[in-house]
Amino acid sequence: QLLSERESISQSISTALDKATDVWGVKVERVEVKDVRLPVQMQRAMAAEAEATREAKAKIITAEGEQRASRALKEAADVMNQSPLSLQLRYLQTLSTISAEKNSTIIFPLPIE
């Protein structure tokens, strides 16, 4: 709060100084808060709060991604349910992908239904 409201804090300090120095005939021209040093404990607390906020946002983003993925899987399942041949083609496509990645023997049952 101190860092984000420097202007208003400077203004209130200026007002307080004006009241105190008016009786002497001194006018305060300008007050600026330039350097603020925070205690180490407060820095750690702020860092922990920022990390918690980042983690919460990351969890939300992950959950939204999982939700989109589950919708896409449901749509794919609906399409495959309408056409049984599409499931067999997808299975063969997966086998082709697996065989391209590694040299291995793949055993699969026939007929697939």
Side-chain angles (χ1 to χ4, degrees), residues 99-111:
S99 66
E101 291 176 1
K102 298 178 183 176
N103 291 334
S104 58
T105 304
I106 300 170
I107 300 171
F108 57 95
L110 288 176

Side-chain angles (χ1 to χ4, degrees), residues 5-78:
E5 297 180 8
R6 284 189 211 179
E7 296 276 332
S8 62
I9 293 170
S10 295
Q11 193 71 329
S12 62
I13 291 172
S14 179
T15 305
L17 283 173
D18 270 346
K19 287 180 185 177
T21 58
D22 243 357
V23 292
W24 300 323
V26 176
K27 173 72 174 142
V28 175
E29 287 289 321
R30 181 175 63 186
V31 174
E32 289 183 23
V33 177
K34 289 191 175 191
D35 188 23
V36 178
R37 295 179 192 249
L38 300 174
V40 175
Q41 193 173 20
M42 184 176 281
Q43 289 176 1
R44 288 183 184 148
M46 291 171 69
E49 182 181 358
E51 184 178 356
T53 302
R54 283 191 301 272
E55 287 177 2
K57 287 180 181 179
K59 286 179 183 180
I60 290 170
I61 290 169
T62 301
E64 288 173 350
E66 288 176 0
Q67 191 175 34
R68 281 190 224 113
S70 67
R71 284 188 191 131
L73 284 172
K74 184 185 180 316
E75 289 173 13
D78 290 342

